Coordinates of all heavy atoms in Angstrom, one line a residue:
I22 N 173.8 -79.7 -44.0 CA 174.8 -80.3 -45.0 C 175.2 -79.2 -45.9 O 175.8 -79.4 -47.0 CB 174.1 -81.4 -45.8 CG1 172.8 -81.0 -46.4 CG2 173.9 -82.6 -44.8 CD1 172.3 -82.1 -47.4
H23 N 175.0 -77.9 -45.5 CA 175.5 -76.7 -46.2 C 175.2 -76.7 -47.7 O 176.0 -76.5 -48.5 CB 177.1 -76.7 -46.0 CG 177.5 -77.0 -44.6 ND1 177.3 -76.0 -43.6 CD2 178.2 -78.0 -44.0 CE1 177.8 -76.5 -42.5 NE2 178.3 -77.7 -42.7
V24 N 173.9 -76.8 -47.9 CA 173.3 -76.6 -49.3 C 172.1 -75.7 -49.2 O 171.6 -75.5 -48.1 CB 172.9 -77.9 -50.0 CG1 174.1 -78.8 -50.2 CG2 171.9 -78.7 -49.2
S25 N 171.7 -75.2 -50.4 CA 170.5 -74.3 -50.4 C 169.3 -75.2 -50.1 O 169.3 -76.4 -50.4 CB 170.4 -73.6 -51.7 OG 170.0 -74.6 -52.7
P26 N 168.2 -74.5 -49.6 CA 166.9 -75.3 -49.4 C 166.4 -76.0 -50.7 O 165.9 -77.1 -50.6 CB 166.0 -74.2 -48.9 CG 166.9 -73.2 -48.2 CD 168.1 -73.2 -49.1
D27 N 166.5 -75.3 -51.8 CA 166.0 -75.9 -53.1 C 166.9 -77.1 -53.4 O 166.3 -78.2 -53.8 CB 166.1 -74.9 -54.2 CG 165.0 -73.8 -54.1 OD1 164.0 -74.1 -53.3 OD2 165.1 -72.8 -54.8
R28 N 168.2 -77.0 -53.3 CA 169.1 -78.1 -53.6 C 168.8 -79.3 -52.6 O 168.8 -80.4 -53.0 CB 170.5 -77.7 -53.5 CG 171.6 -78.8 -53.6 CD 171.5 -79.6 -54.9 NE 172.4 -80.7 -54.9 CZ 172.3 -81.8 -55.6 NH1 171.2 -82.0 -56.4 NH2 173.2 -82.7 -55.6
F29 N 168.6 -78.9 -51.4 CA 168.3 -79.9 -50.4 C 167.1 -80.7 -50.7 O 167.0 -81.9 -50.6 CB 168.2 -79.3 -49.0 CG 167.7 -80.2 -47.9 CD1 168.5 -81.3 -47.4 CD2 166.4 -80.1 -47.5 CE1 168.0 -82.1 -46.5 CE2 165.9 -81.0 -46.6 CZ 166.7 -82.0 -46.1
S30 N 166.0 -80.0 -51.0 CA 164.7 -80.6 -51.3 C 164.9 -81.6 -52.5 O 164.3 -82.7 -52.5 CB 163.6 -79.6 -51.7 OG 163.3 -78.8 -50.5
H31 N 165.6 -81.2 -53.5 CA 165.8 -82.1 -54.7 C 166.6 -83.3 -54.3 O 166.3 -84.4 -54.7 CB 166.5 -81.3 -55.8 CG 166.9 -82.2 -57.0 ND1 166.0 -82.5 -57.9 CD2 168.1 -82.7 -57.4 CE1 166.6 -83.3 -58.8 NE2 167.8 -83.4 -58.5
L32 N 167.7 -83.1 -53.5 CA 168.6 -84.2 -53.1 C 167.8 -85.2 -52.2 O 167.9 -86.4 -52.4 CB 169.8 -83.6 -52.3 CG 170.8 -84.6 -51.7 CD1 171.5 -85.3 -52.9 CD2 171.8 -83.8 -50.9
F33 N 167.0 -84.7 -51.3 CA 166.3 -85.5 -50.4 C 165.2 -86.3 -51.1 O 165.1 -87.6 -50.9 CB 165.6 -84.6 -49.3 CG 165.1 -85.4 -48.1 CD1 165.8 -85.5 -47.0 CD2 163.8 -86.1 -48.2 CE1 165.4 -86.2 -45.9 CE2 163.4 -86.8 -47.1 CZ 164.1 -86.9 -46.0
R34 N 164.5 -85.7 -52.0 CA 163.4 -86.4 -52.7 C 164.1 -87.5 -53.7 O 163.5 -88.6 -53.8 CB 162.6 -85.5 -53.6 CG 161.4 -86.1 -54.3 CD 160.7 -85.1 -55.1 NE 160.0 -84.1 -54.4 CZ 158.8 -84.2 -53.9 NH1 158.1 -85.4 -54.1 NH2 158.2 -83.3 -53.2
E35 N 165.2 -87.2 -54.3 CA 165.9 -88.1 -55.2 C 166.3 -89.3 -54.4 O 166.2 -90.5 -54.9 CB 167.0 -87.4 -55.8 CG 167.8 -88.3 -56.8 CD 169.0 -87.6 -57.4 OE1 169.8 -87.0 -56.7 OE2 169.1 -87.7 -58.6
S36 N 166.8 -89.2 -53.2 CA 167.4 -90.3 -52.4 C 166.4 -91.0 -51.6 O 166.5 -92.3 -51.5 CB 168.5 -89.7 -51.4 OG 169.5 -89.1 -52.1
M37 N 165.4 -90.3 -51.1 CA 164.4 -91.0 -50.2 C 163.1 -91.3 -50.8 O 162.2 -91.9 -50.2 CB 164.2 -90.1 -48.9 CG 165.5 -89.8 -48.2 SD 166.4 -91.2 -47.7 CE 165.2 -92.0 -46.6
G38 N 162.8 -90.7 -52.0 CA 161.5 -91.0 -52.6 C 160.4 -90.2 -52.0 O 159.2 -90.6 -52.3
A39 N 160.7 -89.2 -51.2 CA 159.6 -88.4 -50.6 C 160.2 -87.0 -50.3 O 161.4 -86.8 -50.1 CB 159.1 -89.1 -49.3
A40 N 159.3 -86.0 -50.2 CA 159.7 -84.7 -49.8 C 160.0 -84.7 -48.3 O 159.5 -85.5 -47.6 CB 158.6 -83.7 -50.1
P41 N 160.9 -83.8 -47.9 CA 161.3 -83.8 -46.5 C 160.1 -83.7 -45.5 O 160.1 -84.5 -44.5 CB 162.2 -82.5 -46.4 CG 162.7 -82.3 -47.8 CD 161.6 -82.8 -48.7
L42 N 159.2 -82.9 -45.7 CA 158.0 -82.8 -44.8 C 157.2 -84.0 -44.8 O 156.8 -84.5 -43.7 CB 157.1 -81.6 -45.2 CG 155.9 -81.4 -44.2 CD1 156.4 -81.2 -42.8 CD2 155.1 -80.2 -44.7
Q43 N 157.0 -84.7 -46.0 CA 156.3 -85.9 -46.0 C 157.0 -87.0 -45.2 O 156.4 -87.7 -44.4 CB 156.1 -86.4 -47.4 CG 155.4 -87.8 -47.6 CD 155.4 -88.3 -49.0 OE1 155.7 -87.5 -50.0 NE2 155.1 -89.5 -49.2
Y44 N 158.4 -87.0 -45.3 CA 159.2 -88.0 -44.6 C 159.0 -87.8 -43.1 O 158.8 -88.7 -42.3 CB 160.6 -87.9 -45.0 CG 161.6 -88.8 -44.3 CD1 161.9 -90.1 -44.8 CD2 162.2 -88.4 -43.1 CE1 162.8 -90.9 -44.1 CE2 163.1 -89.2 -42.5 CZ 163.4 -90.5 -43.0 OH 164.2 -91.3 -42.3
I45 N 159.1 -86.5 -42.7 CA 159.0 -86.2 -41.3 C 157.7 -86.5 -40.7 O 157.6 -87.1 -39.6 CB 159.3 -84.7 -41.0 CG1 160.8 -84.3 -41.4 CG2 159.0 -84.3 -39.6 CD1 161.0 -82.8 -41.5
N46 N 156.6 -86.2 -41.4 CA 155.3 -86.6 -41.0 C 155.1 -88.1 -40.9 O 154.4 -88.5 -40.0 CB 154.2 -85.9 -41.9 CG 154.0 -84.4 -41.6 OD1 154.3 -84.0 -40.5 ND2 153.6 -83.7 -42.6
E47 N 155.6 -88.8 -41.8 CA 155.5 -90.3 -41.7 C 156.2 -90.8 -40.5 O 155.7 -91.8 -39.8 CB 156.0 -90.9 -43.0 CG 155.1 -90.7 -44.2 CD 155.6 -91.4 -45.5 OE1 156.6 -92.1 -45.4 OE2 155.0 -91.2 -46.5
I48 N 157.4 -90.3 -40.2 CA 158.1 -90.7 -39.0 C 157.2 -90.4 -37.8 O 157.1 -91.2 -36.9 CB 159.4 -89.9 -38.9 CG1 160.4 -90.3 -39.9 CG2 160.1 -90.1 -37.5 CD1 161.0 -91.7 -39.8
R49 N 156.6 -89.2 -37.7 CA 155.8 -88.8 -36.6 C 154.6 -89.7 -36.5 O 154.2 -90.1 -35.4 CB 155.3 -87.4 -36.8 CG 156.4 -86.3 -36.6 CD 155.9 -84.9 -37.1 NE 156.9 -83.9 -36.7 CZ 156.9 -82.7 -37.3 NH1 156.0 -82.4 -38.2 NH2 157.9 -81.8 -36.9

């Protein structure tokens, strides 16, 4: 989505209520 990793982590946590790795591991 063409953003920095820091901006992405903030955006993801704000929208999904979890950090990206936590979300991925829960899917797994």
Side-chain angles (χ1 to χ4, degrees):
I22 57 173
H23 311 293
V24 296
S25 70
D27 286 345
R28 171 60 182 153
F29 169 74
S30 293
H31 176 77
L32 178 65
F33 194 97
R34 186 183 291 274
E35 181 182 49
S36 299
M37 304 305 298
L42 181 58
Q43 178 187 346
Y44 179 91
I45 294 168
N46 282 334
E47 288 183 5
I48 293 291
R49 290 169 171 164

